[in-house]
Amino acid sequence: DTEVTQTPKHLVMGMTNKKSLKCEQHMGHRAMYWYKQKAKKPPELMFVYSYEKLSINESVPSRFSPECPNSSLLNLHLHALQPEDSALYLCASSQGQRQNTGELFFGEGSRLTVL
Amino acid sequence: GQQLNQSPQSMFIQEGEDVSMNCTSSSIFNTWLWYKQDPGEGPVLLIALYKAGELTSNGRLTAQFGITRKDSFLNISASIPSDVGIYFCAGQNNDMRFGAGTRLTVKP
């Protein structure tokens, strides 16, 4: 069983809705990540938080808004999404962000469908 | 960018056969990792490699970190039906990038 917990597992939303994806880990990891994965594609990095500060934003549209309330929690706020944003959203954590500390542990993902 | 080229894209093998897949990049990575992803699940770490030249085994899986730090391979020996899934290589510096994946099908 994964030690990174994501909720909800499935989410269907309209283009005018506001929703949030949540991620939690209790491994004491200090880096947390959001990845987006389309069908039959590899995960694509969206955001990295290191010590609760946003350290990487891969030019993600502002309709995706990450938040890291504390070292165990990571949220992804969704607003005014497009149908092409439908994907599996994966959260991951690692001990640190720097090299050689970064074995990523993934959650099971939140499958998002935008109608 | 730090693009990873993973091959083959897919493999169809008979149970009991050995499997080999690899990843190359034009960029140097400090860490190479191999993940397996089952449908509807997140990727699960199989092997992590931290030193150039390192050869590491995990059961029937063996992976190596290339001397140039620009490549890695994963071998699976004596495949079984539960090996089915998508295998991703990943290279890491300050963030982690994934290869396109190798979709493995094992016929009983």
Side-chain angles (χ1 to χ4, degrees):
Chain A
D1 288 337
T2 180
E3 295 185 68
V4 177
T5 304
Q6 288 188 244
T7 56
K9 197 168 175 64
H10 299 277
L11 177 63
V12 179
M13 61 186 290
M15 289 189 284
T16 58
N17 291 159
K18 284 186 182 180
K19 296 286 184 183
S20 297
L21 304 180
K22 298 185 183 299
C23 178
E24 190 170 0
Q25 59 88 13
H26 294 289
M27 295 180 280
H29 288 174
R30 304 316 299 262
M32 296 186 77
Y33 309 73
W34 280 115
Y35 282 82
K36 174 183 177 181
Q37 187 177 28
K38 302 284 275 185
K40 298 184 181 180
K41 296 290 187 182
E44 294 179 1
L45 184 65
M46 299 175 71
F47 302 104
V48 181
Y49 273 82
S50 180
Y51 290 85
E52 300 164 44
K53 294 193 187 313
L54 183 64
S55 62
I56 294 178
N57 177 343
E58 288 290 306
S59 302
V60 179
S62 60
R63 57 186 185 270
F64 295 92
S65 175
E67 179 198 16
C68 189
N70 60 57
S71 60
S72 299
L73 295 174
L74 184 66
N75 299 322
L76 186 63
H77 302 299
L78 314 170
H79 175 52
L81 295 194
Q82 304 296 313
E84 58 264 29
D85 295 323
S86 299
L88 182 69
Y89 288 84
L90 293 162
C91 173
S93 70
S94 66
Q95 182 180 349
Q97 187 189 348
R98 294 190 180 279
Q99 62 199 43
N100 296 339
T101 64
E103 295 177 15
L104 262 62
F105 293 84
F106 284 86
E108 294 186 339
S110 292
R111 182 159 300 282
L112 173 67
T113 303
V114 182
L115 301 176
Chain B
Q2 298 175 333
Q3 186 134 3
L4 275 68
N5 301 305
Q6 185 172 351
S7 64
Q9 189 173 15
S10 61
M11 300 183 75
F12 296 83
I13 62 169
Q14 205 71 37
E15 183 178 358
E17 290 182 354
D18 297 342
V19 172
S20 185
M21 59 191 80
N22 70 82
C23 229
T24 60
S25 175
S26 57
S27 302
I28 289 174
F29 286 100
N30 293 305
T31 304
W32 280 92
L33 306 98
W34 286 91
Y35 285 85
K36 182 190 178 198
Q37 187 173 23
D38 292 326
E41 305 284 333
V44 174
L45 181 66
L46 298 175
I47 292 179
L49 303 155
Y50 297 104
K51 294 181 183 177
E54 179 181 355
L55 183 71
T56 297
S57 293
N58 178 5
R60 293 178 295 107
L61 278 59
T62 301
Q64 184 156 32
F65 191 146
I67 290 289
T68 65
R69 295 163 67 192
K70 294 182 179 181
D71 63 298
S72 177
F73 72 74
L74 175 71
N75 288 340
I76 305 173
S77 63
S79 59
I80 59 178
S82 62
D83 290 334
V84 164
I86 303 177
Y87 291 80
F88 290 105
C89 65
Q92 185 179 43
N93 290 322
N94 284 325
D95 58 41
M96 187 173 291
R97 307 288 169 166
F98 287 83
T102 296
R103 184 178 295 273
L104 179 63
T105 302
V106 180
K107 293 179 282 187

